[in-house]
C-alpha cells in the first residue's frame, strides 16, 4: 500500500483570496470564509470546479497573513491559523493564542493509497459532540464511527453506520470550543481517541480530498450558527407539520385512511397529518395509485381536508422496469437512470421488483423528478416522504461501477438521499401555489436542512431505543437539522402500553411528532391502548397543541440562526461536566426554556439533573434550585419536565387541528426568576412564503424582575395575529393577585400592535 505523509513546503503563493501551498505529495488551499470559519483543502488532484453539496457560501475576498522561514500565520479577528511549513501542519488557536486544535506533528495529513486521513492531537480533557444521527453517548470521546448511508433495518442501539452522514463535530477542551466539518461524501471515518491509546483523534475518507472547514467561534451556539450559515438553514415549516402525525405501514385502503381520520375527530384527539405508506401504490410503482384500494385519490383527500387532515405519501427512488409505466418510459427515453460505466442501466431489486435508479446528480433528472409529482399533487397530497434513498435495495450496496452524474457510486453515495430530497423539494416548490412543501427524508448529508425534515429510520419498540432516539434528535440538532422525528412507539415490534404512553409523552417534545409502526405489528393509534391510556395519550397530544405558539417561534429561531428546537444540554451548559454524564445525557432543552428528562417506561421515579439556575416542575409548579440532581416522580401521566425560571412560554387553547382558529387567546406564561429574560414571539400564516415579504407578526416579550416589569415590544411585520387577546399567566410570582383555584394569576389585554407594559 502506498503510504505518504504530507511533507515539506516547496512553495507558497497567494492568488486572490486563496493561499496555495505546495509540497511534493499534494497541494493545500486555504481560504477564509468568515473571521471564525477557515477552510483547508489538501489534495493530490485539486479540482478547479470544486463543488460541494453542502456549502452555500463563498470565501471572503481577502485575509491577512505573515510568512517566515518556518511558518505562515493567518490571523482573523477570531482565529489564528499557524501553518508550520516543514512538515506542513495546520494548527488553530484563538486570536489571543490559546490552543484550539492542532495536527499531530508526526502524522498530520497522510494517504494510504486513495484513503486520506488527518491525525490530530487529543487533549486530556477533550470531549466531542456531533456527527448527527449516531448511536453511543453524547460525549463521543472513546468512540469511532463510519459514514456510509445504509438501510439499517432492525438496527440495535449500537449500530453504525446508519442512514445519514453529517461529518461535522465540535471539540470541547480547556473551556474552549471549535468545530470541524469534513466536507467529503466518500465513505468516511471518525475516531475520537477510540483506537489511539488516547493520543490522537482522527478523521478521513476512502477517497477525495482532505477538505475541511474549521470553526473557531467561542460557544457551541455560535459554532452552530456558523455551521448553518455555511450549509444553510431550514425554511419555516408548514404549521400543520408540527401537529400530531399518524402513520402506519400501511393503511391499506382509502376507507381505512378515512376511518382512522374520522376516529381522531370522534375521540377528540387532535391530529393534523395522516400518511400513506407504500401500499397506496399500484405494485409499488412510484407516482401511481392502486386502482382498487385507492380508486379516487382526490375524493379521499377532499374528505380528509374537510376534516382538517393533511395527507403525506411515501416515494422511493426505485423506478420499476416495466414498459408502459410512464416514469420508466420517460426515464429510458431520456437516459435519466444511473448506469454502469459502459452505459448499461443499473438494475436491482427493491419493492416494485426490478428497478432502475434516477441519477439525482444531474440537473435534468432533478427537474424531471420534480415534475413527476403531479400524480400526487393534483389530487391534493401535501407532504412527500422520501424513503429508501441511501439508496437501499435488497442487495444493499450498489456495485462500485455504477455512475451518478460524473461520479462513481462510492464517491457520492452519502449524498444520494439529499439529492433526492432536493429534487423533491424543488419540484414541489415550483408549483405556483405559494405553499411551503413538506418533505421528509431518511437518508441525508450536511445541508439537507435546506430541503427537508428527517426521521431516524427503523427503531424498535423498547426503552433503550426511545432514549437513543432522543440522543439522536439532540445530536442531529448540532448538525443543522431541527425538524426531526423518531417513530413514536418504535417501528419494529409491539410496545407495551406503558412504553406507548411514555413515548407519546416524549413525542410532545419531539420536533416532528409522528406515531409510526411496521407492517405486521399491532395497531398503534391512540385508542388502541384501553380507555385509561387513551386519556393520557390524548392529554399529552393536547399539550402539544397548547404549546404550538412556542414551538412555532422555536422553529423561527432555527430558520434565523440554526439553533435546533431540541437542544442537548451541551449547548447551553457546555462547561458543566454533569450534562455529559450518561445518567443525564438524554436530557435536553426543548426551545429556550423547557427542560425534558426522558424516562424509561418501567421506572416511575427518575434521577434528573437540574443545571445551574432556578427551575419549576411544569406539572406541579414546584420550585427547585439547580446545579444538583433530584429524584423526580415520573408516573406515566407526568414525564419530568421543568421550566427555567424567567421562562416566557406562549400557549393557546386546545384545538383539534392547526387549521382551527381556536378561541383567539394567546396565553403568555411567565415563570418568575431573578434574572431578566426575553422571548421572540413569531407568527405568520403558517403555510405560504408571504413571511419573506414581511407578512409576519413578531414581537419581543421581556421580563425584568428588577424593575418589576413585563413588556411586549411593538409588533414588527404586517401580519394580523390570529389571537385577538393576550392573556398573561404568571407562575411563581409573589406580588400579583393570585387565583385561589389555579394558584396562578392572570390578566388579559387586547392584542393590539403597540407596546404593552405590565407592572407586577
Ligand atoms: O423496506 O415503506 O424506514 O418507515 O414504513 C422497508 C415501508 C421500507 C422503511 C421505512 C419505514 C417504512 C417502510 N420502509
Amino acid at each position: 500500500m502506498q503510504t505518504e505523509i504530507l511533507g515539506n513546503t516547496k512553495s507558497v503563493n497567494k492568488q486572490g483570496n486563496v493561499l496555495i501551498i505546495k509540497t511534493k505529495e499534494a497541494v493545500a488551499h486555504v481560504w477564509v470564509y468568515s473571521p471564525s470559519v477557515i477552510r483547508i483543502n489538501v489534495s493530490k488532484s485539486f479540482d478547479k470546479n470544486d463543488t460541494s453539496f453542502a456549502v452555500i457560501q463563498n470565501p471572503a475576498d481577502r485575509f491577512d497573513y505573515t510568512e517566515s522561514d518556518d511558518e505562515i500565520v493567518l490571523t482573523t479577528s477570531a482565529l489564528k491559523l499557524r501553518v508550520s511549513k516543514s512538515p506542513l501542519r495546520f494548527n488553530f488557536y484563538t486570536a489571543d493564542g490559546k490552543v484550539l486544535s492542532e495536527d499531530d506533528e508526526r502524522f498530520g495529513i497522510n494517504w494510504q493509497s486513495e484513503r486520506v486521513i488527518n491525525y490530530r492531537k487529543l487533549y486530556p480533557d477533550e470531549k466531542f459532540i456531533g456527527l448527527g444521527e449516531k448511536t453511543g453517548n453524547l460525549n463521543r470521546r472513546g468512540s469511532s464511527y463510519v459514514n456510509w448511508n445504509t438501510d439499517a433495518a432492525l438496527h440495535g442501539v449500537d449500530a453504525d453506520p446508519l442512514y445519514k452522514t453529517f461529518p461535522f463535530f465540535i471539540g470541547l477542551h480547556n473551556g474552549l470550543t471549535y468545530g470541524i466539518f469534513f466536507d467529503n461524501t466518500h465513505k468516511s471515518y471518525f475516531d475520537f481517541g477510540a483506537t489511539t491509546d488516547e493520543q490522537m483523534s482522527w478523521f478521513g475518507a476512502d477517497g477525495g480530498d482532505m477538505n475541511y472547514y474549521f470553526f473557531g467561534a467561542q460557544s457551541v451556539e455560535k459554532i452552530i450558527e456558523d455551521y448553518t450559515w455555511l450549509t444553510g438553514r431550514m425554511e419555516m415549516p408548514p404549521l400543520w407539520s408540527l401537529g400530531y402525525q399518524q402513520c402506519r405501514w400501511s393503511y391499506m385502503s382509502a376507507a381505512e385512511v378515512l376511518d382512522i381520520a374520522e376516529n381522531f375527530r370522534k375521540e377528540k384527539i387532535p391530529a393534523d397529518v395522516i400518511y400513506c405508506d407504500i401500499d397506496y401504490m399500484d405494485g409499488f410503482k412510484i407516482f401511481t395509485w392502486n386502482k382498487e384500494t385507492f380508486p379516487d385519490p382526490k375524493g379521499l383527500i377532499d374528505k380528509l381536508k374537510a376534516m382538517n387532515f393533511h395527507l403525506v405519501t411515501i416515494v422511493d427512488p426505485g423506478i420499476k422496469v416495466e414498459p408502459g409505466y410512464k416514469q420508466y418510459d420517460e426515464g429510458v427515453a431520456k437516459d435519466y437512470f444511473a448506469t454502469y460505466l459502459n452505459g448499461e442501466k443499473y438494475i436491482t431489486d427493491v419493492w416494485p421488483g426490478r428497478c432502475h435508479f434516477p441519477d439525482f446528480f444531474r440537473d435534468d433528472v432533478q427537474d424531471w423528478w420534480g415534475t413527476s409529482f403531479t400524480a400526487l399533487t393534483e389530487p391534493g397530497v401535501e407532504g412527500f416522504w422520501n424513503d429508501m434513498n441511501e439508496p437501499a435495495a435488497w442487495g444493499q450496496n450498489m456495485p462500485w461501477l455504477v455512475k451518478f452524474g460524473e461520479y462513481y457510486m462510492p464517491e457520492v453515495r452519502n449524498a444520494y438521499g439529499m439529492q433526492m430530497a432536493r429534487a423533491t423539494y424543488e419540484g414541489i416548490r415550483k408549483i405556483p401555489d405559494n405553499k411551503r412543501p413538506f418533505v421528509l427524508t431518511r437518508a441525508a448529508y450536511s445541508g439537507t436542512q435546506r430541503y427537508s425534515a428527517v426521521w431516524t429510520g427503523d427503531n424498535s419498540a423498547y426503552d433503550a431505543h426511545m432514549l437513543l432516539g432522543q440522543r439522536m434528535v439532540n445530536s442531529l440538532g448540532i448538525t443543522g437539522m431541527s425538524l426531526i422525528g423518531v417513530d413514536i412507539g418504535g417501528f419494529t415490534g409491539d410496545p407495551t402500553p406503558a412504553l406507548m404512553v411514555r413515548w407519546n409523552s416524549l413525542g410532545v417534545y419531539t420536533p416532528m411528532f409522528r406515531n409510526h409502526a411496521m407492517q405486521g405489528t399491532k395497531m398503534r393509534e391512540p385508542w388502541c391502548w384501553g380507555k385509561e391510556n387513551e386519556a393520557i395519550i390524548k392529554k399529552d397530544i393536547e399539550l402539544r397543541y397548547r404549546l404550538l405558539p412556542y414551538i412555532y417561534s422555536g422553529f423561527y429561531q432555527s430558520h434565523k440562526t440554526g439553533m435546533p428546537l431540541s437542544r442537548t444540554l451541551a449547548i447551553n451548559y457546555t462547561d458543566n461536566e454533569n450534562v455529559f454524564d450518561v445518567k443525564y445525557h438524554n436530557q435536553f432543552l426543548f426551545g429556550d426554556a423547557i427542560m425534558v428528562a426522558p424516562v424509561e417506561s418501567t421506572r416511575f421515579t427518575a434521577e434528573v439533573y437540574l443545571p445551574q439556575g432556578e427551575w419549576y416542575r411544569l406539572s406541579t409548579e414546584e420550585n427547585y434550585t439547580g446545579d444538583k440532581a433530584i429524584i423526580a416522580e415520573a408516573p406515566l401521566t407526568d414525564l419530568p419536565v421543568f421550566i427555567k425560571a424567567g421562562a416566557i412560554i406562549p400557549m393557546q387553547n386546545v384545538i383539534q387541528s392547526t387549521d382551527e382558529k381556536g378561541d383567539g387567546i394567546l396565553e403568555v406564561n411567565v415563570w418568575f426568576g431573578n434574572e431578566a429574560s426575553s422571548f421572540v414571539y413569531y407568527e405568520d400564516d403558517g403555510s405560504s412564503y408571504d413571511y419573506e415579504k414581511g407578512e409576519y407578526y413578531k414581537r419581543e416579550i421581556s421580563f425584568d424582575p428588577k424593575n418589576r416589569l413585563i413588556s411586549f415590544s411593538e409588533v414588527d411585520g404586517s401580519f394580523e395575529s390570529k389571537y385577538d387577546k393576550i392573556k398573561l399567566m404568571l407562575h411563581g410570582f409573589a406580588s400579583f393577585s393570585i387565583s385561589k383555584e389555579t394558584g396562578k394569576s392572570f390578566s388579559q389585554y387586547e392584542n393590539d400592535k403597540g407596546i404593552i407594559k405590565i407592572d407586577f
Side-chain angles (χ1 to χ4, degrees), residues 372-588:
S372 304
F373 279 88
T374 46
L376 302 175
T377 53
E378 273 171 8
V381 175
E382 289 175 271
F384 310 90
W385 173 19
N386 290 205
D387 189 22
M388 305 293 273
N389 52 357
E390 291 69 31
W394 299 151
Q396 287 288 330
N397 283 340
M398 285 185 170
W400 288 37
L401 283 176
V402 172
K403 290 201 78 177
F404 289 129
E406 309 142 45
Y407 312 97
Y408 285 98
M409 184 281 291
E411 301 176 275
V412 291
R413 177 185 181 84
N414 288 338
Y416 186 87
M418 174 193 198
Q419 293 308 98
M420 177 182 175
R422 178 181 144 210
T424 305
Y425 164 82
E426 283 174 352
I428 306 299
R429 181 79 163 89
K430 277 185 197 136
I431 301 170
D433 61 358
N434 192 22
K435 285 252 171 64
R436 305 173 196 167
F438 175 69
V439 180
L440 175 63
T441 179
R442 192 171 71 178
Y445 182 73
S446 293
T448 299
Q449 66 271 14
R450 305 196 296 268
Y451 313 118
S452 183
V454 293
W455 93 104
T456 59
D458 298 347
N459 59 1
S460 290
Y462 54 92
D463 282 292
H465 248 291
M466 175 177 69
L467 300 182
L468 169 67
Q470 189 58 54
R471 282 201 301 291
M472 295 208 285
V473 169
N474 300 346
S475 178
L476 281 160
I478 297 169
T479 51
M481 300 303 311
S482 184
L483 188 49
I484 311 159
V486 297
D487 290 354
I488 302 289
F491 179 73
T492 314
D494 294 311
T496 61
L499 179 60
M500 189 65 231
V501 169
R502 180 69 101 204
W503 209 329
N504 183 71
S505 72
L506 188 56
V508 175
Y509 307 98
T510 302
M512 191 187 99
F513 186 3
R514 185 179 77 150
N515 172 324
H516 181 44
M518 187 172 157
Q519 191 183 46
T521 56
K522 292 188 188 139
M523 296 305 278
R524 224 14 112 70
E525 295 67 26
W527 48 85
C528 300
W529 306 95
K531 277 292 157 209
E532 215 173 295
N533 289 322
E534 178 181 339
I536 308 171
I537 290 171
K538 174 177 170 173
K539 205 161 164 243
D540 281 326
I541 296 175
E542 287 176 348
L543 175 59
R544 168 77 176 202
Y545 278 77
R546 303 234 313 119
L547 284 168
L548 280 174
Y550 171 78
I551 292 173
Y552 198 64
S553 299
F555 278 110
Y556 180 68
Q557 285 183 356
S558 304
H559 166 61
K560 281 311 229 195
T561 70
M563 265 299 258
L565 191 66
S566 291
R567 306 172 189 168
T568 160
L569 298 184
I571 297 178
N572 291 72
Y573 305 96
T574 313
D575 295 328
N576 187 330
E577 292 287 324
N578 291 310
V579 307
F580 300 93
D581 188 322
V582 296
K583 277 194 292 193
Y584 313 123
H585 69 166
N586 305 312
Q587 291 181 211
F588 62 103

Side-chain angles (χ1 to χ4, degrees), residues 244-258:
Y244 178 82
Q245 308 192 354
Q246 184 63 53
C247 189
R248 176 173 183 82
W249 176 16
S250 301
Y251 298 124
M252 295 303 289
S253 65
E256 191 179 6
V257 172
L258 279 176

Side-chain angles (χ1 to χ4, degrees), residues 1 18 20 224 247 258 278 328 349 393 422 457 565 573 593 609 697 710:
M1 193 186 290
V18 56
I20 303 176
I224 293 173
C247 189
L258 279 176
I278 48 176
Y328 171 79
D349 277 291
R422 178 181 144 210
L565 191 66
Y573 305 96
Y609 180 73
Y697 169 107
I710 291 168

Side-chain angles (χ1 to χ4, degrees), residues 75-363:
T75 315
T76 71
S77 56
L79 267 175
K80 187 169 286 187
L81 165 61
R82 304 182 88 100
V83 182
S84 45
K85 284 181 164 175
S86 297
L88 185 58
R89 298 287 179 264
F90 299 92
N91 303 319
F92 295 88
Y93 307 85
T94 59
D96 60 357
K98 294 194 198 96
V99 177
L100 289 174
S101 173
E102 301 156 297
D103 272 335
D104 181 87
E105 288 127 1
R106 300 160 301 173
F107 309 134
I109 292 169
N110 56 86
W111 293 263
Q112 292 184 294
S113 301
E114 289 295 306
R115 182 172 288 157
V116 58
I117 304 283
N118 184 357
Y119 287 96
R120 303 191 73 84
K121 275 189 198 158
L122 181 64
Y123 305 99
D125 67 333
E126 194 167 19
K127 298 188 193 73
F128 299 90
I129 56 176
L131 293 192
E133 180 190 78
K134 289 293 179 191
T135 54
N137 295 338
L138 166 62
N139 179 6
R140 309 229 178 260
R141 175 81 181 241
S143 303
S144 64
Y145 296 95
V146 175
N147 291 313
W148 183 248
N149 290 2
T150 298
D151 176 6
L154 301 175
H155 65 268
V157 290
D158 296 319
D160 188 66
L162 295 174
Y163 307 89
K164 303 176 183 67
T165 295
F166 292 94
F168 171 59
F169 68 86
I170 297 174
L172 313 167
H173 68 98
N174 189 28
L176 302 169
T177 56
Y178 71 89
I180 289 180
F181 169 41
F182 177 42
D183 189 11
N184 180 320
T185 54
H186 292 245
K187 188 177 209 171
S188 60
Y189 307 85
F190 286 79
D191 185 310
F192 301 104
T195 61
T196 56
D197 191 28
E198 298 277 302
Q199 288 183 46
M200 298 178 285
S201 67
W202 56 268
F203 60 91
D206 276 354
D209 298 341
M210 179 43 64
N211 178 47
Y212 69 89
Y213 295 77
F214 188 89
F215 298 87
Q218 284 312 304
S219 78
V220 174
E221 182 172 354
K222 285 194 200 125
I223 291 177
I224 293 173
E225 203 172 328
D226 278 350
Y227 170 79
T228 55
W229 169 78
L230 189 73
T231 62
R233 298 184 180 127
M234 71 182 289
E235 293 183 343
M236 284 308 292
L239 179 59
W240 58 262
S241 68
L242 309 181
Y244 178 82
Q245 308 192 354
Q246 184 63 53
C247 189
R248 176 173 183 82
W249 176 16
S250 301
Y251 298 124
M252 295 303 289
S253 65
E256 191 179 6
V257 172
L258 279 176
D259 189 53
I260 299 286
E262 276 160 9
N263 223 27
F264 273 96
R265 298 301 176 240
K266 199 173 106 226
E267 300 290 317
K268 291 215 169 7
I269 298 171
D272 268 74
V273 190
I274 192 154
Y275 280 68
C276 284
D277 203 328
I278 48 176
D279 297 286
Y280 76 89
M281 292 180 265
D282 170 20
F284 306 119
K285 280 179 286 185
I286 312 305
F287 309 121
T288 68
W289 295 84
N290 183 313
K291 289 198 179 58
E292 270 139 48
T293 50
F294 289 83
D296 175 17
K298 181 159 186 318
L300 163 67
I301 296 167
D302 286 346
K303 284 186 196 139
L304 289 173
K305 283 190 174 157
M307 287 189 275
N308 291 334
F309 266 95
H310 301 260
L311 183 68
V312 179
T313 55
I314 199 166
V315 288
D316 292 354
I319 298 291
K320 183 172 186 155
V321 175
E322 185 184 277
Y325 162 40
K326 183 166 182 276
Q327 273 69 31
Y328 171 79
D329 290 344
E330 289 176 0
V332 168
K334 296 273 176 58
D335 262 332
Y336 286 153
F337 299 124
T339 63
Y340 286 101
L341 85 162
N342 66 357
E344 265 173 64
K345 283 182 230 344
Y346 172 65
I347 297 186
T348 192
D349 277 291
V350 66
W351 283 107
R354 298 172 83 234
C355 284
H356 292 320
F357 285 78
D359 181 353
F360 290 114
F361 293 85
R362 280 168 40 194
D363 291 345

